Amino acid sequence: MINISCDCKSDCTTLGILAALLVGVVTAILRFMATITVTPAFLWVALGIATVYLAVLLFHAGRYRTEGCRCCCKSLKTLLVGILGTALLSVVLLAIPFAATSVLGAIITGLLLTFLSLIFTSTACLVTCSADCTALED
């Protein structure tokens, strides 16, 4: 029998959320000032990243269902929020073209980059948490 022990020392999801919010705000400001543009190719890549992450997460979902490794749950939830937000907002931006200096376009672009950054930061937190969860044989 295998016991899983997790000490939850590496709960970095709050830091990851703050970093993602910072990236989103900076992106929204730069998009509003027309310094950056969002191309359809970038939106398709963002949608592809979200889809691949969702497929991998569903494939490995059973690994994180163990009773002892509860500290990974918060990272998994933020990862899922990032995946769903990225997929939804990339589809919205692909469907509706916005003007370069549109306030609504800047907000949606900032949200898209927030969710995309949340995918990467929560993945880093999940890897760190998984490394702290050690399997001990009885």
Side-chain angles (χ1 to χ4, degrees):
M1 181 167 188
I2 296 177
N3 276 338
I4 296 182
S5 166
C6 188
D7 55 4
C8 294
K9 284 192 264 186
S10 63
D11 185 25
C12 62
T13 53
T14 305
L15 185 62
I17 291 170
L18 291 175
L21 286 173
L22 179 67
V23 167
V25 168
V26 169
T27 302
I29 291 169
L30 291 175
R31 169 72 195 257
F32 181 71
M33 295 184 338
T35 304
I36 61 171
T37 59
V38 178
T39 63
F42 171 76
L43 297 173
W44 281 110
V45 168
L47 182 61
I49 288 171
T51 304
V52 168
Y53 262 89
L54 185 60
V56 169
L57 185 65
L58 289 175
F59 184 72
H60 289 291
R63 181 171 185 261
Y64 298 106
R65 293 183 67 196
T66 56
E67 188 69 28
C69 193
R70 292 187 184 159
C71 66
C72 296
C73 243
K74 192 173 181 184
S75 296
L76 283 173
K77 288 177 186 176
T78 56
L79 179 61
L80 189 60
V81 166
I83 289 169
L84 296 177
T86 300
L88 176 72
L89 290 173
S90 61
V91 168
V92 166
L93 283 172
L94 279 168
I96 305 170
F98 290 101
T101 57
S102 166
V103 174
L104 185 60
I107 291 171
I108 293 176
T109 304
L111 284 173
L112 173 67
L113 264 291
T114 298
F115 285 124
L116 191 61
S117 299
L118 191 61
I119 288 176
F120 298 131
T121 57
S122 58
T123 300
C125 291
L126 185 62
V127 167
T128 305
C129 178
S130 296
D132 286 345
C133 292
T134 56
L136 303 172
E137 291 189 28
D138 280 340

